[in-house]
Amino acid sequence: MATFFQSIFAAIFYLLKYSGRIVGVIILLMVIALIAGKTYQNWDDDPDRGAIALENGEFGESFTTPVYLDQGWTEAESLWFYNTTQGSALMPYDLFMSLEQENSNKLLRDNHNIDKYRYLPQKETFLNPDGLPVGLVKDTYQGNDYIGYTCAACHTNQVNFTKDGITSAIRIDGGPAMADMVGFLTAIEKSMRATLADEAKKTRYVETVLARNNDFKKEAKVIESTEQWLKTISLYNTVNHSHIDYGYGRLDAFGRIYNRVLQHMINKQQLANTMEMVTAPGTNGERRRVLTRDQIDLVLEGVNENIIVDKQFGLVLDRLASTEPGYPGLNQRDLLRVRNSIFNEPNAPVSYPFLWDIGQADYTQWNGVANNAGVGPLGRNTGEVIGVFGILDWTSHEPNGFELSTLITDQKNKNEVVNFKSSIDVTNLRRLEAQLKRLQSPVWPQEILGEIDQVKAERGQLVYAQYCQSCHEVVDRNNADRIIIANMMDINLVGTDKAAAINGVMATGKSGNFQHTVQSITGVGDVFISEDAPVLQILTSATKGVIATPDPDKFFIRRWLDRLYVLGSSFFENKMPETVKKGNYVADTTSNPYSSLLAYKGRALNGIWATAPYLHNGSVPTLYDLLLPKKLDTDPAEGEYRPDEFVVGSREFDANRVGFKSKDYDGSAFITTRVGDMNTGHEYGAGKTAQNNGEVLPALSEKERWDLIEYLKTL
């Protein structure tokens, strides 16, 4: 450490000596800020990492203070990961902190209510003075405080294990959360409605908000802001309503990101034209238009021409349902028809992926959409914050000189260009990605979950080599130079639920100002973005625009120095080369530039024991069940099959079959009959899915299944 500071001060001396005084002072201040930031980052070193015990939580679960396994992070690094903002702004902080539950005077953020949605309660620590749960944090944008999500909300897990009447808990950094985000957002909406409707509840709420003496000084402003943010959250929930129940531990993140970027890119004329073409069944078998042109003009009165913000889109939704003279007064069914013409139903929920080795992986998402080279991780993470409530203060204006975002999104020939100002903290996203490179997979804790039978595990290793290793390479978690290679398998070959892969490619929407701009597709070439375009193209351009737009909350020099750091470190510190995907899939072509995305990845399985439920959509509860076949109508009743119905939500661990408790409690019912929920495919161990070479291996015997399970515990 002494050598580090000596080098820093030597560099400062030469910079001050040989640069201009003003430039030197600025650099000195920047270096001091860097040192202070690094020091500040390590101040929160609570030995429990903020974790607390809980009595009589959801599903009757009680547990002692959670322990942590050695995953390569210190206490301070875990807490920094939990509490580092990324620019998410779900709602004003004072409102969230004061909001009561819908049918109770207890706060919405009460630890037992937080546990109900399977977020992880925390105590107060230095970086978390209000004791927010893992993954929720106070974020500040343009002088106002908001409650927002961090990466940890979806990527921190807990495993409970009961022995001799005592339940121990293990926190897993980077593990897939059991969170029910949809339930939580629905609860917030209901609580806000109940608060505005109940005078006693509203009085308590307003008094609590004002007592915080922060962003709100008057009762009228509290009520106005609550009403406006209720519309925003209600709009989000309505746009993203799905016939598929996500339940615990799953989210259609791509679908929600797609819808959010569509909402902000569609322009007024495109929205009007889309609404005009919405039809419903009429008389005599003919179709009727749901909206007249006069109704559309009234609904869109006062809406911005080029960028439609949350507040205006919420107003459009209200006007569509309004029964006032001239307005359409649409029923729920016709409202959904209008919604479906603009957005895509997010009906393909997937399990939250685990994050260890993400910095060493060539491709990370389930469908391998983005290479991890260069600024790839930055684009991936920026898209994520777009989906989890980054404030998108996008506007349009006439071109007025050089703007990097205009150049890289190919808007240079447009009469108006979009400015991608937002709350998204790209610098923190880069820092988080860098820290994740130090995260290691968790090792099976034999002292808690029971000893591994080494004789069985050695036999299971041979089974793994024959049945699994061609797709799931074995890696050394301690090797700093390890590379995690995604093995992509065509959805028709692996046979698992196709919805997520198909939606990622086939979802389309209005491209707004990106219409007729050019985008380069790796391995294919340049393509024009059409008015009706794949949302993947629209999202790609939008994330480029956000990354190239300096942070509005930082002064000029700091903004550009941060931007240089982000782009420079992405290119020079990220050693991942841009490689062609490995695997058995249909390659991209000029006629089908996204064919390779109709595939799912297999990756190294180190730490797989801590990531249930299994398959990309969480449709199989345990590793043992994953080795069984899906029961078909033609199969005999006797025999072992994957469960077609089970329950999700418990953290109670089944150390035998390796997964979570999946019956006999009131969690989310998982029924595997609909597209999006199906538990088919990946039946290598059942002798039904062909290996990469086309060979179908014999079904494993029961003994071989148990041997393989024992080996999987060792990874």
Side-chain angles (χ1 to χ4, degrees):
M1 182 61 72
T3 303
F4 168 76
F5 283 111
Q6 288 170 1
S7 300
I8 289 292
F9 287 120
I12 292 171
F13 172 78
Y14 284 109
L15 287 168
L16 288 172
K17 183 176 180 180
Y18 294 110
S19 64
R21 180 170 295 179
I22 294 176
V23 174
V25 170
I26 290 171
I27 294 172
L28 173 61
L29 292 174
M30 291 298 297
V31 171
I32 291 172
L34 175 63
I35 295 172
K38 283 292 184 182
T39 304
Y40 178 86
Q41 184 174 326
N42 287 288
W43 277 352
D44 201 350
D45 58 355
D46 178 76
D48 296 323
R49 310 190 196 205
I52 60 173
L54 194 69
E55 288 289 334
N56 195 30
E58 191 68 4
F59 314 126
E61 294 177 356
S62 301
F63 51 86
T64 57
T65 302
V67 299
Y68 282 77
L69 307 179
D70 180 9
Q71 292 186 253
W73 279 359
T74 64
E75 291 87 348
E77 286 174 318
S78 289
L79 287 164
W80 184 79
F81 176 69
Y82 299 164
N83 299 297
T84 294
T85 63
Q86 55 179 354
S88 173
L90 172 59
M91 64 183 292
Y93 192 73
D94 295 333
L95 303 189
F96 175 81
M97 296 296 287
S98 307
L99 192 63
E100 296 178 352
Q101 297 170 37
E102 178 188 11
N103 297 313
S104 169
N105 60 4
K106 291 183 178 180
L107 292 176
L108 183 79
R109 61 175 296 256
D110 175 82
N111 280 341
H112 281 80
N113 196 50
I114 287 296
D115 184 63
K116 175 180 178 180
Y117 301 103
R118 305 275 83 172
Y119 292 107
L120 300 169
Q122 293 282 89
K123 64 184 175 184
E124 298 175 6
T125 64
F126 176 74
L127 290 178
N128 185 17
D130 288 323
L132 297 171
V134 170
L136 289 180
V137 68
K138 180 166 71 173
D139 209 333
T140 301
Y141 175 66
Q142 301 286 271
N144 294 309
D145 294 334
Y146 298 91
I147 190 75
Y149 280 98
T150 75
C151 299
C154 301
H155 304 289
T156 309
N157 194 12
Q158 182 168 307
V159 171
N160 296 346
F161 187 69
T162 302
K163 184 178 180 181
D164 299 329
I166 299 175
T167 300
S168 301
I170 308 167
R171 286 279 173 91
I172 309 292
D173 280 340
M178 190 62 78
D180 176 12
M181 182 183 282
V182 174
F184 185 57
L185 296 177
T186 302
I188 291 175
E189 179 183 346
K190 290 181 177 179
S191 293
M192 295 176 81
R193 292 191 188 282
T195 297
L196 292 171
D198 185 312
E199 287 301 321
K201 186 181 282 287
K202 180 163 62 174
T203 298
R204 291 194 302 271
Y205 167 73
V206 170
E207 289 176 351
T208 304
V209 172
L210 295 178
R212 296 182 62 81
N213 194 30
N214 188 28
D215 288 342
F216 295 91
K217 308 300 180 185
K218 295 183 179 180
E219 176 179 351
K221 188 63 178 177
V222 174
I223 299 303
E224 178 188 348
S225 183
T226 303
E227 290 174 342
Q228 183 54 58
W229 280 92
L230 170 58
K231 288 181 180 179
T232 298
I233 293 172
S234 176
L235 170 67
Y236 179 88
N237 289 341
T238 299
V239 165
N240 292 296
H241 176 74
S242 174
H243 77 284
I244 296 291
D245 296 323
Y246 298 2
Y248 290 106
R250 300 196 302 168
L251 189 73
D252 188 345
F254 256 116
R256 288 163 178 258
I257 294 168
Y258 277 8
N259 281 342
R260 197 129 195 275
V261 84
L262 284 179
Q263 178 194 324
H264 285 79
M265 282 311 303
I266 191 171
N267 61 41
K268 183 176 179 179
Q269 187 60 54
Q270 290 177 346
L271 181 57
N273 293 343
T274 300
M275 287 180 168
E276 192 172 19
M277 299 305 294
V278 178
T279 63
T283 57
N284 301 321
E286 297 180 351
R287 304 291 295 180
R288 62 173 177 85
R289 292 184 190 267
V290 169
L291 296 163
T292 67
R293 192 71 206 197
D294 287 343
Q295 289 173 332
I296 292 170
D297 290 342
L298 190 58
V299 164
L300 298 182
E301 185 177 352
V303 171
N304 292 345
E305 292 293 330
N306 217 19
I307 296 291
I308 305 173
V309 295
D310 279 331
K311 185 175 182 179
Q312 292 184 337
F313 234 108
L315 182 62
V316 168
L317 189 66
D318 287 345
R319 288 172 173 177
L320 286 170
S322 175
T323 56
E324 292 184 11
Y327 289 99
L330 299 186
N331 58 35
Q332 188 65 28
R333 184 169 293 180
D334 281 345
L335 275 172
L336 286 176
R337 289 189 173 103
V338 174
R339 184 204 70 168
N340 293 342
S341 70
I342 305 167
F343 303 104
N344 300 276
E345 181 185 350
N347 56 7
V350 300
S351 294
Y352 300 107
F354 51 92
L355 295 190
W356 48 84
D357 298 333
I358 194 171
Q360 292 80 15
D362 58 348
Y363 291 85
T364 59
Q365 289 107 332
W366 286 114
N367 62 349
V369 67
N371 188 286
N372 232 12
V375 295
L378 203 56
R380 164 169 48 82
N381 291 323
T382 299
E384 175 256 326
V385 188
I386 287 175
V388 289
F389 313 108
I391 294 177
L392 307 180
D393 277 336
W394 299 351
T395 56
S396 66
H397 58 81
E398 293 183 1
N400 55 5
F402 173 79
E403 290 185 66
L404 182 59
S405 62
T406 297
L407 178 66
I408 69 172
T409 57
D410 192 42
Q411 296 182 84
K412 55 187 178 295
N413 296 320
K414 292 288 184 177
N415 294 326
E416 288 201 347
V417 297
V418 175
N419 175 279
F420 292 95
K421 172 185 171 184
S422 75
S423 65
I424 298 172
D425 194 327
V426 177
T427 304
N428 274 359
L429 292 177
R430 175 69 190 120
R431 295 168 69 202
L432 286 161
E433 189 75 19
Q435 177 163 305
L436 282 168
K437 286 188 176 181
R438 299 193 295 276
L439 181 65
Q440 296 176 322
S441 56
V443 173
W444 179 276
Q446 298 189 66
E447 69 281 5
I448 299 175
L449 300 181
E451 292 188 4
I452 295 173
D453 187 325
Q454 296 299 330
V455 174
K456 280 187 176 182
E458 287 183 12
R459 294 198 303 260
Q461 183 180 24
L462 299 177
V463 178
Y464 187 90
Q466 185 180 12
Y467 280 79
C468 313
Q469 200 160 337
S470 63
C471 289
H472 303 289
E473 182 182 11
V474 178
V475 300
D476 179 2
R477 68 190 288 274
N478 297 309
N479 180 6
D481 296 325
R482 65 191 182 277
I483 296 292
I484 309 300
I485 302 172
N487 192 88
M488 305 306 300
M489 183 64 73
D490 185 277
I491 55 176
N492 294 311
L493 298 177
V494 71
T496 51
D497 191 286
K498 298 180 180 181
I502 290 175
N503 286 4
V505 172
M506 301 303 295
T508 60
K510 298 296 183 182
S511 59
N513 218 53
F514 293 142
Q515 182 179 354
H516 297 163
T517 60
V518 173
Q519 187 174 107
S520 179
I521 300 176
T522 302
V524 175
D526 293 342
V527 297
F528 275 114
I529 298 179
S530 303
E531 178 180 1
D532 293 292
V535 188
L536 182 56
Q537 292 179 353
I538 303 170
L539 174 62
T540 299
S541 288
T543 55
K544 288 179 180 178
V546 171
I547 291 170
T549 303
D551 191 329
D553 278 338
K554 295 171 183 173
F555 68 91
F556 176 79
I557 295 175
R558 172 78 185 280
R559 287 203 308 259
W560 282 102
L561 286 173
D562 271 359
R563 194 62 62 204
L564 289 172
Y565 155 74
V566 166
L567 297 176
S569 61
S570 294
F571 281 110
F572 297 112
E573 290 183 18
N574 184 358
K575 304 301 182 183
M576 184 63 62
E578 187 163 345
T579 58
V580 176
K581 296 175 188 174
K582 178 180 181 292
N584 193 352
Y585 59 89
V586 178
D588 297 328
T589 64
T590 53
S591 58
N592 292 296
Y594 300 114
S595 295
S596 67
L597 300 183
L598 295 174
Y600 294 124
K601 72 168 185 176
R603 57 161 286 180
L605 299 184
N606 47 311
I608 194 66
W609 65 269
T611 66
Y614 297 101
L615 292 184
H616 73 277
N617 63 342
S619 60
V620 180
T622 71
L623 283 178
Y624 184 83
D625 293 318
L626 187 61
L627 301 177
L628 300 175
K630 159 77 174 177
K631 187 180 184 304
L632 304 177
D633 293 339
T634 55
D635 289 328
E638 65 275 5
E640 287 189 281
Y641 302 99
R642 294 176 181 176
D644 287 330
E645 297 185 19
F646 58 97
V647 184
V648 183
S650 174
R651 297 194 182 104
E652 185 66 27
F653 194 67
D654 181 344
N656 187 40
R657 299 172 77 92
V658 187
F660 291 108
K661 181 180 179 182
S662 58
K663 58 182 179 180
D664 300 328
Y665 67 98
D666 189 24
S668 302
F670 199 124
I671 303 173
T672 63
T673 55
R674 297 187 292 190
V675 174
D677 291 331
M678 297 181 70
N679 64 347
T680 54
H682 198 279
E683 296 174 87
Y684 300 100
K688 291 190 173 184
T689 304
Q691 298 285 318
N692 283 336
N693 60 7
E695 179 185 4
V696 178
L697 297 176
L700 297 175
S701 67
E702 183 178 3
K703 178 176 176 294
E704 288 172 321
R705 288 197 293 269
W706 288 119
D707 288 346
L708 179 54
I709 292 298
E710 208 68 11
Y711 174 69
L712 290 171
K713 295 177 184 179
T714 72
L715 296 179

